[in-house]
Amino acid sequence: MGSPWRMPAETEPHERLWMAFPRPNETFGPGQPEEESAAWAAVANAAVAFEPLTMLVDPVALPTARRLLDPAVELVEQELDDAWLRDSGPTFVTDGEGRLGAVDWSFNGWGDHPWSAWAKDRLVGAAVGAAAGAAVLPSLLVNEGGGIHVDGEGTVLLTETVQLDPRRNPYADRARVEAELARTIGATTAVWLPRGLTRDYERYGTSGHVDICATIPSPGRVLLHDQRDPGHPDHAVTALLRRTLEEAVDAAGRSFEIVHLPAPETLRDAEGFVDWSYVNHVVVNGGVIACGFGEPRADAAAREALAEAYPGRRVVTIDARAIFACGGGIHCITQQQPATPTSSGIVASRG
């Protein structure tokens, strides 16, 4: 008998979007991070035009959040370490009877790095699940929402360097990870990518999250980050990912149609080779909130490609450079809650 729980595709209707607001920490610096706060707020203010949005805010950041956020954004006070809710928050699932579940993954700061603080963030998954009125489903698997992508029909994309990371799950193998993903999110077919993008293995990286590399806009189809410049190390990485996907099949036994999403033209920033990726967008009700990188031609081409991949949705581009400078993108800071008959009635406040 299979699991009653299923992680819906991101394209299925949402009840709301969840985010967490930046606060002073190792990643952002000792003071309230103004540039990053403005970037997080820009994403929230764009998304709330499409669907309700709840923002977790540490008490120290409340004044800035109130100043920058659209009044339509609901604020919930929550002590936080960091602001990557895709990873510290729960993964929402549903069952065949209309119930909402929230998988509370074990979280250890992307592998318990010397810089990562997670004593407060490890409690966020259960807190958000309870606030959403979901059945909280604890998991011993150290995993993050950015480490998985699903098609809603049993297929999950993931990377060997995340779930099999010895700093996360020292005793795990593929079979154990797949069994836990089947139990928690209803995944019946795991497509293992060998690694992630180069920058993601540096100081503030996640060691290979899939949500910056590839996503499934519809069953049988994959949007793949495509670094076309051979001078960038991700040129070889994306070629490897392409070969892996070409040999894979999804839960329905289909080969993937691979749609290449070209990387921006910028190769480096002050820290080295960038991991700027248009794959790291979030789908909302009637729209897509996409990453922009200050490159009008490339940003427009990506917007057009995303509009084709998600027919009937309006694509809104937000400058994501300040987010990427901290180690992630728009998908990394958002988490969708699927709509179910039992998922309404969230209690939130303006703080």
Side-chain angles (χ1 to χ4, degrees):
M1 181 177 177
S3 169
W5 299 105
R6 176 185 73 94
M7 181 180 174
E10 201 167 300
T11 52
E12 297 183 43
H14 298 177
E15 175 74 17
R16 69 182 51 241
L17 205 64
W18 290 82
M19 294 179 64
F21 202 74
R23 56 148 297 155
N25 66 10
E26 173 70 20
T27 306
F28 300 121
Q32 181 60 32
E34 282 296 325
E35 185 179 8
E36 293 83 357
S37 297
W40 260 251
V43 172
N45 294 343
V48 79
F50 293 90
E51 62 187 65
L53 191 146
T54 299
M55 180 75 73
L56 304 185
V57 186
D58 190 276
V60 72
L62 272 171
T64 304
R66 292 192 181 108
R67 174 168 53 87
L68 294 178
L69 289 168
D70 187 306
V73 175
E74 296 178 313
L75 304 186
V76 171
E77 284 196 45
Q78 173 78 32
E79 290 192 340
L80 300 169
D81 295 304
D82 221 317
W84 308 94
L85 197 70
R86 176 71 54 176
D87 297 343
S88 60
T91 293
F92 286 105
V93 292
T94 60
D95 71 358
E97 299 178 358
R99 289 189 303 161
L100 180 71
V103 181
D104 180 20
W105 307 110
S106 295
F107 181 72
N108 74 346
W110 306 275
D112 193 19
H113 297 275
W115 54 264
S116 59
W118 44 277
K120 298 171 184 175
D121 279 356
R122 69 184 178 87
L123 306 176
V124 167
V128 170
V136 177
L137 312 172
S139 175
L140 294 178
L141 183 69
V142 177
N143 185 41
E144 302 94 32
I148 53 175
H149 256 314
V150 302
D151 65 357
E153 297 185 356
T155 309
V156 60
L157 301 180
L158 65 171
T159 46
E160 295 176 6
T161 56
V162 173
Q163 288 80 13
L164 302 182
D165 180 358
R167 297 170 305 177
R168 287 173 165 101
N169 299 299
Y171 306 109
D173 56 20
R174 285 193 183 198
R176 289 175 178 175
V177 171
E178 290 176 12
E180 182 63 354
L181 293 176
R183 183 186 76 87
T184 53
I185 65 172
T188 58
T189 298
V191 178
W192 289 90
L193 301 181
R195 58 161 296 149
L197 302 186
T198 301
R199 183 73 167 261
D200 209 12
Y201 295 86
E202 297 181 4
R203 179 172 174 82
Y204 294 123
T206 70
S207 300
H209 271 186
V210 73
D211 71 349
I212 202 169
C213 304
T215 188
I216 307 174
S218 56
R221 200 176 198 203
V222 171
L223 291 179
L224 177 64
H225 178 70
D226 186 14
Q227 177 50 256
R228 298 181 175 181
D229 192 316
H232 193 299
D234 285 338
H235 179 72
V237 172
T238 53
L240 173 62
L241 300 181
R242 185 182 309 113
R243 290 194 298 271
T244 303
L245 288 166
E246 287 172 346
E247 297 170 358
V249 296
D250 68 7
R254 294 171 293 218
S255 297
F256 288 106
E257 175 193 355
I258 301 172
V259 179
H260 300 109
L261 202 53
E265 295 177 4
T266 300
L267 299 183
R268 303 179 69 100
D269 63 9
E271 302 298 324
F273 288 107
V274 299
D275 58 354
W276 296 356
S277 171
Y278 295 112
V279 169
N280 198 267
H281 54 271
V282 65
V283 179
V284 291
N285 293 335
V288 177
I289 311 302
C291 296
F293 301 100
E295 298 185 15
R297 182 173 61 180
D299 290 353
R303 192 159 48 246
E304 182 178 340
L306 292 172
E308 190 279 331
Y310 300 101
R313 297 180 192 264
R314 180 164 62 91
V315 182
V316 177
T317 300
I318 301 296
D319 192 327
R321 286 174 288 182
I323 305 173
F324 272 79
C326 298
I330 287 176
H331 194 259
C332 308
I333 67 174
T334 55
Q335 179 62 269
Q336 71 278 357
Q337 177 186 333
T340 73
T342 61
S343 62
S344 59
I346 293 172
V347 177
S349 73
R350 289 293 303 169

